[in-house]
Short mmCIF file of all heavy atoms in Angstrom, two decimals:
data_model
loop_
_atom_site.label_atom_id
_atom_site.label_comp_id
_atom_site.label_asym_id
_atom_site.label_seq_id
_atom_site.Cartn_x
_atom_site.Cartn_y
_atom_site.Cartn_z
N TYR A 266 76.75 24.51 65.31
CA TYR A 266 75.90 24.40 66.51
C TYR A 266 76.55 25.01 67.76
O TYR A 266 75.93 25.77 68.49
CB TYR A 266 75.58 22.92 66.76
CG TYR A 266 74.63 22.69 67.91
CD1 TYR A 266 73.25 22.84 67.75
CD2 TYR A 266 75.10 22.31 69.16
CE1 TYR A 266 72.39 22.62 68.80
CE2 TYR A 266 74.24 22.09 70.22
CZ TYR A 266 72.88 22.24 70.04
OH TYR A 266 72.02 22.03 71.08
N THR A 278 69.44 24.78 65.32
CA THR A 278 69.34 23.57 66.15
C THR A 278 68.65 22.47 65.34
O THR A 278 68.18 22.71 64.22
CB THR A 278 68.61 23.85 67.48
OG1 THR A 278 67.24 24.10 67.19
CG2 THR A 278 69.23 25.03 68.21
N SER A 279 68.59 21.28 65.91
CA SER A 279 68.15 20.14 65.10
C SER A 279 66.63 20.07 64.90
O SER A 279 66.16 19.49 63.94
CB SER A 279 68.61 18.84 65.75
OG SER A 279 67.93 18.66 66.98
N ARG A 280 65.87 20.60 65.84
CA ARG A 280 64.41 20.47 65.84
C ARG A 280 63.98 19.00 65.83
O ARG A 280 62.93 18.64 65.28
CB ARG A 280 63.77 21.22 64.67
CG ARG A 280 64.12 22.68 64.70
CD ARG A 280 63.21 23.51 63.87
NE ARG A 280 63.64 24.90 63.95
CZ ARG A 280 62.97 25.90 63.44
NH1 ARG A 280 61.86 25.69 62.81
NH2 ARG A 280 63.42 27.13 63.57
N ILE A 281 64.79 18.18 66.43
CA ILE A 281 64.48 16.76 66.47
C ILE A 281 63.63 16.43 67.70
O ILE A 281 63.13 15.31 67.85
CB ILE A 281 65.81 15.93 66.44
CG1 ILE A 281 65.60 14.47 66.04
CG2 ILE A 281 66.55 16.00 67.74
CD1 ILE A 281 65.49 14.22 64.60
N SER A 282 63.42 17.43 68.58
CA SER A 282 62.76 17.14 69.86
C SER A 282 61.38 16.48 69.76
O SER A 282 61.11 15.56 70.53
CB SER A 282 62.70 18.39 70.74
OG SER A 282 62.13 19.46 70.05
N LEU A 285 62.19 12.86 69.12
CA LEU A 285 62.82 12.16 70.26
C LEU A 285 61.80 11.97 71.39
O LEU A 285 61.76 10.91 72.01
CB LEU A 285 64.02 12.95 70.76
CG LEU A 285 65.35 12.63 70.10
CD1 LEU A 285 66.43 13.57 70.61
CD2 LEU A 285 65.77 11.18 70.37
N TRP A 319 76.44 19.20 70.85
CA TRP A 319 75.08 18.73 70.60
C TRP A 319 74.80 17.44 71.39
O TRP A 319 73.74 17.29 72.01
CB TRP A 319 74.89 18.49 69.09
CG TRP A 319 73.49 18.15 68.69
CD1 TRP A 319 72.40 18.99 68.74
CD2 TRP A 319 73.01 16.90 68.18
NE1 TRP A 319 71.28 18.33 68.29
CE2 TRP A 319 71.64 17.06 67.93
CE3 TRP A 319 73.62 15.68 67.89
CZ2 TRP A 319 70.85 16.01 67.43
CZ3 TRP A 319 72.84 14.65 67.37
CH2 TRP A 319 71.47 14.82 67.15
N GLU A 322 73.82 18.00 74.78
CA GLU A 322 72.41 18.38 74.96
C GLU A 322 71.55 17.13 74.97
O GLU A 322 70.60 17.03 75.75
CB GLU A 322 71.95 19.33 73.85
CG GLU A 322 72.67 20.66 73.83
CD GLU A 322 72.59 21.38 75.16
OE1 GLU A 322 71.50 21.46 75.76
OE2 GLU A 322 73.64 21.85 75.63
N ILE A 323 71.90 16.18 74.11
CA ILE A 323 71.16 14.91 74.11
C ILE A 323 71.33 14.26 75.50
O ILE A 323 70.43 13.60 76.01
CB ILE A 323 71.70 13.96 73.01
CG1 ILE A 323 71.54 14.61 71.63
CG2 ILE A 323 71.06 12.59 73.08
CD1 ILE A 323 70.33 14.24 70.85
N TRP A 325 71.44 15.81 78.30
CA TRP A 325 70.49 16.42 79.24
C TRP A 325 69.18 15.64 79.27
O TRP A 325 68.54 15.52 80.31
CB TRP A 325 70.19 17.88 78.85
CG TRP A 325 71.16 18.87 79.41
CD1 TRP A 325 72.19 19.46 78.74
CD2 TRP A 325 71.20 19.39 80.74
NE1 TRP A 325 72.86 20.32 79.58
CE2 TRP A 325 72.28 20.30 80.81
CE3 TRP A 325 70.43 19.18 81.89
CZ2 TRP A 325 72.60 20.99 81.99
CZ3 TRP A 325 70.76 19.87 83.05
CH2 TRP A 325 71.83 20.76 83.09
N ARG A 326 68.80 15.14 78.14
CA ARG A 326 67.56 14.37 78.07
C ARG A 326 67.65 13.13 78.95
O ARG A 326 66.73 12.81 79.70
CB ARG A 326 67.31 14.01 76.59
CG ARG A 326 66.09 13.18 76.34
CD ARG A 326 65.94 12.93 74.83
NE ARG A 326 64.86 11.98 74.60
CZ ARG A 326 65.02 10.67 74.62
NH1 ARG A 326 66.22 10.15 74.84
NH2 ARG A 326 63.99 9.87 74.43
N TYR A 329 67.66 14.25 82.82
CA TYR A 329 66.35 14.54 83.41
C TYR A 329 65.51 13.27 83.55
O TYR A 329 64.71 13.16 84.48
CB TYR A 329 65.62 15.61 82.59
CG TYR A 329 66.14 17.01 82.84
CD1 TYR A 329 66.30 17.92 81.79
CD2 TYR A 329 66.46 17.44 84.13
CE1 TYR A 329 66.78 19.21 82.02
CE2 TYR A 329 66.94 18.73 84.37
CZ TYR A 329 67.09 19.61 83.31
OH TYR A 329 67.55 20.89 83.54
N TRP A 386 56.44 24.62 69.44
CA TRP A 386 57.86 24.40 69.68
C TRP A 386 58.49 25.74 69.99
O TRP A 386 58.03 26.77 69.51
CB TRP A 386 58.48 23.80 68.42
CG TRP A 386 59.94 23.45 68.52
CD1 TRP A 386 60.47 22.26 68.93
CD2 TRP A 386 61.06 24.29 68.19
NE1 TRP A 386 61.84 22.31 68.89
CE2 TRP A 386 62.24 23.55 68.45
CE3 TRP A 386 61.20 25.60 67.74
CZ2 TRP A 386 63.52 24.06 68.24
CZ3 TRP A 386 62.48 26.12 67.53
CH2 TRP A 386 63.62 25.34 67.77
N MET A 387 59.52 25.74 70.82
CA MET A 387 60.22 26.99 71.11
C MET A 387 61.70 26.68 71.20
O MET A 387 62.09 25.60 71.66
CB MET A 387 59.72 27.56 72.43
CG MET A 387 59.89 29.06 72.59
SD MET A 387 59.84 29.60 74.32
CE MET A 387 58.15 29.43 74.73
N HIS A 388 62.49 27.65 70.75
CA HIS A 388 63.94 27.53 70.86
C HIS A 388 64.34 27.39 72.33
O HIS A 388 63.74 28.04 73.20
CB HIS A 388 64.54 28.81 70.25
CG HIS A 388 66.02 28.77 70.11
ND1 HIS A 388 66.86 28.97 71.18
CD2 HIS A 388 66.81 28.54 69.04
CE1 HIS A 388 68.11 28.87 70.77
NE2 HIS A 388 68.11 28.60 69.47
N ASN A 389 65.35 26.58 72.61
CA ASN A 389 65.73 26.32 74.01
C ASN A 389 66.02 27.59 74.80
O ASN A 389 65.59 27.75 75.93
CB ASN A 389 66.94 25.39 74.06
CG ASN A 389 67.38 25.12 75.48
OD1 ASN A 389 66.60 24.59 76.28
ND2 ASN A 389 68.60 25.48 75.81
N ARG A 392 62.92 29.14 75.76
CA ARG A 392 62.21 28.44 76.85
C ARG A 392 62.78 28.91 78.19
O ARG A 392 62.06 29.07 79.17
CB ARG A 392 62.38 26.92 76.71
CG ARG A 392 61.71 26.38 75.45
CD ARG A 392 61.65 24.86 75.43
NE ARG A 392 61.61 24.38 74.04
CZ ARG A 392 61.00 23.30 73.63
NH1 ARG A 392 60.37 22.53 74.46
NH2 ARG A 392 61.04 22.96 72.34
N MET A 393 64.08 29.12 78.21
CA MET A 393 64.71 29.56 79.47
C MET A 393 64.30 30.99 79.80
O MET A 393 63.96 31.30 80.95
CB MET A 393 66.24 29.45 79.35
CG MET A 393 66.71 28.01 79.27
SD MET A 393 68.40 27.88 78.68
CE MET A 393 69.29 28.33 80.13
N SER A 396 60.47 31.19 80.75
CA SER A 396 60.10 30.55 82.02
C SER A 396 60.71 31.34 83.19
O SER A 396 60.06 31.56 84.20
CB SER A 396 60.52 29.09 82.04
OG SER A 396 61.89 28.98 81.81
N PHE A 414 53.17 25.01 79.02
CA PHE A 414 54.10 24.46 78.01
C PHE A 414 53.62 23.08 77.55
O PHE A 414 53.49 22.81 76.36
CB PHE A 414 55.51 24.34 78.61
CG PHE A 414 56.39 25.54 78.36
CD1 PHE A 414 55.86 26.82 78.29
CD2 PHE A 414 57.77 25.40 78.23
CE1 PHE A 414 56.68 27.94 78.09
CE2 PHE A 414 58.59 26.50 78.01
CZ PHE A 414 58.05 27.77 77.95
N LEU A 418 53.03 22.28 73.69
CA LEU A 418 54.20 21.80 72.95
C LEU A 418 53.88 20.54 72.16
O LEU A 418 53.14 19.67 72.62
CB LEU A 418 55.33 21.45 73.93
CG LEU A 418 56.13 22.61 74.53
CD1 LEU A 418 57.00 22.11 75.69
CD2 LEU A 418 56.98 23.30 73.47
N ASP A 420 56.47 18.75 71.41
CA ASP A 420 57.51 17.88 71.97
C ASP A 420 57.38 17.72 73.49
O ASP A 420 58.34 17.30 74.16
CB ASP A 420 58.92 18.38 71.60
CG ASP A 420 59.28 19.72 72.27
OD1 ASP A 420 58.58 20.14 73.20
OD2 ASP A 420 60.29 20.33 71.87
N GLY A 421 56.22 18.10 74.03
CA GLY A 421 56.03 18.08 75.49
C GLY A 421 56.43 16.75 76.11
O GLY A 421 55.99 15.69 75.66
N ASP A 422 57.28 16.83 77.12
CA ASP A 422 57.80 15.62 77.73
C ASP A 422 58.01 15.94 79.21
O ASP A 422 58.64 16.95 79.53
CB ASP A 422 59.13 15.29 77.03
CG ASP A 422 59.99 14.35 77.83
OD1 ASP A 422 59.65 13.17 77.87
OD2 ASP A 422 60.99 14.80 78.41
N SER A 425 61.92 16.38 80.62
CA SER A 425 62.65 17.56 80.15
C SER A 425 61.94 18.86 80.50
O SER A 425 62.57 19.86 80.83
CB SER A 425 62.83 17.51 78.62
OG SER A 425 63.56 16.38 78.27
N ASN A 426 60.62 18.84 80.42
CA ASN A 426 59.87 20.07 80.70
C ASN A 426 59.95 20.40 82.18
O ASN A 426 60.26 21.53 82.56
CB ASN A 426 58.42 19.88 80.24
CG ASN A 426 57.64 21.19 80.24
OD1 ASN A 426 58.13 22.22 79.76
ND2 ASN A 426 56.44 21.17 80.80
N GLY A 429 63.48 21.45 82.98
CA GLY A 429 63.75 22.81 82.50
C GLY A 429 63.08 23.84 83.38
O GLY A 429 63.69 24.85 83.76
N TRP A 430 61.83 23.60 83.73
CA TRP A 430 61.12 24.56 84.57
C TRP A 430 61.72 24.66 85.96
O TRP A 430 61.88 25.74 86.50
CB TRP A 430 59.62 24.20 84.64
CG TRP A 430 58.89 24.84 83.49
CD1 TRP A 430 58.60 24.27 82.29
CD2 TRP A 430 58.44 26.19 83.42
NE1 TRP A 430 57.99 25.18 81.47
CE2 TRP A 430 57.86 26.37 82.15
CE3 TRP A 430 58.45 27.28 84.30
CZ2 TRP A 430 57.32 27.59 81.73
CZ3 TRP A 430 57.90 28.49 83.89
CH2 TRP A 430 57.34 28.64 82.62
P1 FAD B 1 68.83 20.64 69.98
O1 FAD B 1 69.55 21.80 70.53
O2 FAD B 1 69.10 20.26 68.58
O3 FAD B 1 69.15 19.41 70.96
C1 FAD B 1 69.00 18.05 70.55
C2 FAD B 1 68.13 17.30 71.51
O4 FAD B 1 68.72 17.25 72.81
C3 FAD B 1 66.76 17.89 71.74
O5 FAD B 1 65.88 17.52 70.72
C4 FAD B 1 66.38 17.28 73.08
O6 FAD B 1 65.93 15.96 72.94
C5 FAD B 1 67.71 17.25 73.80
N1 FAD B 1 67.85 18.45 74.61
C6 FAD B 1 68.40 19.62 74.24
N2 FAD B 1 68.39 20.49 75.28
C7 FAD B 1 67.80 19.86 76.30
C8 FAD B 1 67.48 20.22 77.63
N3 FAD B 1 67.79 21.42 78.14
N4 FAD B 1 66.86 19.31 78.41
C9 FAD B 1 66.56 18.08 77.94
N5 FAD B 1 66.84 17.69 76.69
C10 FAD B 1 67.44 18.55 75.88
N6 FAD B 1 62.59 19.43 75.64
C11 FAD B 1 61.70 18.52 75.25
O7 FAD B 1 62.04 17.63 74.46
N7 FAD B 1 60.42 18.53 75.72
C12 FAD B 1 59.98 19.49 76.60
O8 FAD B 1 58.82 19.45 77.02
C13 FAD B 1 60.90 20.49 77.00
N8 FAD B 1 60.52 21.48 77.83
C14 FAD B 1 61.46 22.42 78.24
C15 FAD B 1 61.04 23.43 79.14
C16 FAD B 1 61.96 24.38 79.57
C17 FAD B 1 61.52 25.45 80.57
C18 FAD B 1 63.29 24.34 79.11
C19 FAD B 1 64.28 25.36 79.56
C20 FAD B 1 63.69 23.36 78.23
C21 FAD B 1 62.78 22.39 77.79
N9 FAD B 1 63.16 21.36 76.87
C22 FAD B 1 62.23 20.43 76.49
C23 FAD B 1 64.55 21.23 76.43
C24 FAD B 1 64.94 21.97 75.12
O9 FAD B 1 64.48 23.28 75.17
C25 FAD B 1 64.38 21.30 73.87
O10 FAD B 1 64.67 19.93 73.90
C26 FAD B 1 65.02 21.91 72.61
O11 FAD B 1 64.74 23.27 72.54
C27 FAD B 1 64.48 21.20 71.39
O12 FAD B 1 65.01 21.77 70.23
P2 FAD B 1 66.03 20.97 69.30
O13 FAD B 1 65.49 19.60 69.06
O14 FAD B 1 66.29 21.82 68.13
O15 FAD B 1 67.28 20.89 70.27
#
Side-chain angles (χ1 to χ4, degrees):
Y266 184 81
T278 69
S279 67
R280 301 198 181 187
I281 198 81
S282 53
L285 271 175
W319 187 68
E322 297 305 314
I323 300 264
W325 273 102
R326 178 178 173 273
Y329 283 139
W386 183 89
M387 205 200 287
H388 188 282
N389 179 59
R392 294 190 207 212
M393 292 164 77
S396 57
F414 268 32
L418 283 168
D420 67 13
D422 161 74
S425 299
N426 192 46
W430 272 95

